[in-house]
């Protein structure tokens, strides 16, 4: 059902608002279809975040792929949900986008993929049950191409790091600052 990639901080004792004491209060969800070029941006940005940064306790990274209602249990009861995705706003390709609060429903109305409708349904269901995250932020980028290709377009590949940095800034704002990994492979 999911893309399968997940990294979880140690969430025991993090004071999450839900009934599961082991659940991380913050979920960073990478969304997208890796078969449709820039549509896979959210998943690719999540991978970069996981490779480049130590994720602090209290934060879970999840590859949501193109899953919709299958994410219900994963999102339920979180304090904060950060969605990484390709977002069609009418702005030039490669434009970084941050949507929060009342802007988030706009993200669903401009969907470029069925998974966005599924995620909208998940959030609506969780709102009815009182388990919707207190804060939902969508961080994304305007895609250049949605052709059947496995790699991101050159433009979006070049700008992907700005989306990763936006995710780091968002987590830091929530007091869950990731720390850069030492990528030096030299001997010690």
């Amino acid at each position: 059902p999911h893309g399968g990639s997940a990294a979880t901080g140690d969430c025991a004792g993090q004071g999450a608002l839900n009934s599961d004491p082991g659940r991380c209060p913050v979920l960073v969800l990478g969304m997208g279809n890796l078969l449709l070029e820039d549509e896979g941006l959210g998943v690719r940005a999540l991978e970069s975040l996981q490779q480049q940064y130590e994720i602090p306790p209290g934060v879970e990274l999840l590859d949501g792929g193109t899953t919709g209602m299958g994410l219900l249990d994963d999102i339920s009861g979180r304090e904060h949900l950060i969605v990484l995705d390709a977002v069609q706003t009418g702005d030039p390709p490669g434009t970084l986008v941050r949507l929060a609060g009342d802007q988030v429903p706009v993200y669903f109305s401009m969907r470029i993929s069925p998974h966005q409708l599924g995620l909208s349904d998940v959030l609506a269901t969780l709102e009815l049950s009182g388990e919707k995250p207190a804060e939902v932020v969508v961080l994304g980028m305007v895609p250049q191409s949605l052709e059947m290709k496995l790699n991101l377009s050159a433009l979006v590949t070049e700008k992907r790091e700005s989306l990763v940095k936006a995710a780091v800034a968002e987590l830091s704002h929530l007091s869950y600052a990731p720390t850069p990994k030492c990528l030096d492979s030299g001997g010690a």
Side-chain angles (χ1 to χ4, degrees):
H2 302 269
S5 170
T8 306
D10 174 16
C11 295
Q14 289 296 318
L17 296 176
N18 57 56
S19 59
D20 181 355
R23 172 158 290 193
C24 294
V26 180
L27 177 64
V28 181
L29 185 62
M31 298 296 294
N33 185 339
L34 298 178
L35 302 177
L36 298 177
E37 205 163 3
D38 293 343
E39 161 62 10
L41 171 65
V43 174
R44 297 293 186 213
L46 185 81
E47 290 169 352
S48 293
L49 178 65
Q50 187 173 355
Q51 290 165 2
Q52 297 172 28
Y53 291 88
E54 294 292 340
I55 305 303
V59 177
E60 180 179 354
L61 304 182
L62 180 65
D63 172 349
T66 58
T67 308
M69 289 302 283
L71 292 170
L72 195 66
D73 289 339
D74 294 309
I75 296 172
S76 171
R78 304 288 183 151
E79 293 176 30
H80 304 280
L81 172 63
I82 300 170
V83 179
L84 305 179
D85 202 358
V87 181
Q88 196 62 274
T89 61
D91 290 308
T95 301
L96 192 62
V97 177
R98 181 186 186 275
L99 303 171
D102 294 341
Q103 298 170 317
V104 173
V106 173
Y107 154 74
F108 294 118
S109 70
M110 299 181 295
R111 67 183 180 270
I112 57 175
S113 179
H115 72 258
Q116 290 170 331
L117 179 61
L119 189 55
S120 175
D121 291 344
V122 166
L123 293 174
T125 301
L126 292 174
E127 187 160 15
L128 289 174
S129 68
E131 297 178 55
K132 181 180 174 192
E135 183 179 30
V136 178
V137 173
V138 177
L139 298 175
M141 186 174 294
V142 178
Q144 180 174 45
S145 171
L146 301 175
E147 293 182 29
M148 291 279 293
K149 292 185 179 177
L150 293 175
N151 296 322
L152 297 175
S153 67
L155 174 69
V156 170
T157 296
E158 177 184 318
K159 296 186 175 255
R160 172 178 51 185
E161 195 58 31
S162 64
L163 180 56
V164 173
K165 287 186 173 157
V168 169
E170 196 68 39
L171 287 167
S172 298
H173 172 74
L174 296 174
S175 300
Y176 292 96
T179 53
K181 287 182 180 177
C182 181
L183 299 177
D184 179 29
S185 59

